[in-house]
Amino acid sequence: MKKIKEEKRESVIIKTSIIGIFTNLLLVIFKAIIGLISNSIAILLDAVNNLSDALSSIVTIISTKIADSEPDKEHPLGHGRIEYLSAMIVAGIIFYAGITSLVESIKKIFNPVEVKYSNVTFIILIVSIILKLLLGKYVKNIGEKFNSPSLVASGSDATFDAILSASVLVSAILYIFTDINIEAYVGILISIFIIKSGIEIFMEAVNEILGKRVDKKTINEIKNTICGIENVHGAYDLILHNYGPDKYVGSVHIEIPDSMSAEEIDPLERYIADVVFKKHNVYLSGITIYSVNTKNEEIIKIRSNILKIVMSNEGILEFHGFYLEEKNKTIRFDIIIDYSIKNRKEIYNKILNDIKKEYPDYSINIKVDIDI
């Protein structure tokens, strides 16, 4: 079932990219011809921009084919991250086109040429604006639906192209009615937008490779799935490693009753991993156990009291993993402190001292977890 889904994703992305290539090459031909005939640097740069889009779509097709290839000995978790590298290549193409366009536009400011517009020029520009708007919306929607960063980037770029083509149209109309030539300045504006787009796409891909925080909605959905399983009292410290769009490998801590035996825990862990994979396409490579005190009402009251002490401090995001060992007189639990809090060490010491003061007969072990 998963293989069929991946094949569908691959075919849709490739089909969408081919549509983009065909549309952009068509616009390149018409704009290049009109730009040369009319001596319009803005229209020629618009054609160059469309050409970079076509090249970007070709890169997207190649990267998608590689990303969906089977895992091998060197890459046991697949080749999904190649899509982020392809997005960086797309960004490089866009950035280069922007720099080249900027240089040519600046040259035209110091060496202006007479521009000659015709009715065909306006028709081509108007049609290109409409085509780019439709293409941008279509490609971006497909990219978001199938979680393809390259398609989302291409879709956003196509929408920007429509806006830039509109600025070329406005400059042409202004020249006809006022004889004021702002072609080169419009070219600079186009160049700046192209460069900005390239930088943004590049940084987004870098963030994904570095390990960007997974969105809260996805985390909560997976946690809710786990917590909905019998005998699971809580799910914490869910860490997801991204190996390409929709390809996550992760680990989680769960709270279960201290009355459960290894014979019961083993099938529970396997069931959790199976449910999460089927529902969210996330492979849980590790499930760690937090034991929950369920046999002593007095311990449950102590937990409740310690919870109040901990959560009364500024910047505490979470309290979990509480367990009291009666035999060794030990209390242990984990907390998460917000990264925005500067005096994290002071807060930790205050919590530790407050609980030691409240329960002097116990050894207190507090672990500060990462805010993931």
Side-chain angles (χ1 to χ4, degrees), residues 14 185 352:
I14 290 174
Y185 298 98
L352 181 61

Side-chain angles (χ1 to χ4, degrees), residues 26-40:
L26 202 63
L27 292 174
V28 168
I29 293 169
F30 283 112
K31 286 181 181 180
I33 293 171
I34 295 300
L36 290 170
I37 292 173
S38 62
N39 283 328
S40 171

Side-chain angles (χ1 to χ4, degrees), residues 11 43 82 103 121 137 143 150 222 224 235 241-242 302 315 348 355:
S11 63
I43 296 177
I82 195 73
V103 171
T121 304
K137 186 176 180 181
S150 296
I222 296 172
N224 289 336
H241 301 285
N242 189 325
I302 291 174
Y348 172 85
I355 296 174

Side-chain angles (χ1 to χ4, degrees), residues 46 58 87 130 138 172 216 218 224 242 258 261 265 279 334:
D46 212 10
I58 293 172
I130 295 171
Y138 171 72
K216 194 172 182 180
T218 300
N224 289 336
N242 189 325
D258 56 357
S261 65
I265 294 171
K279 190 170 182 180
D334 297 354

Side-chain angles (χ1 to χ4, degrees), residues 17 36-37 52 94 101 113 134 149 155 158 160 173 176 180 190 198 203 229 278 290 318 321 337:
S17 298
L36 290 170
I37 292 173
S52 72
I94 293 171
S101 301
V113 294
L134 293 174
F160 274 120
I173 294 171
I176 287 175
I180 298 174
I190 292 173
M203 291 310 301
I229 296 172
K278 286 180 178 178
Y290 284 138
E318 199 172 90
I337 305 175

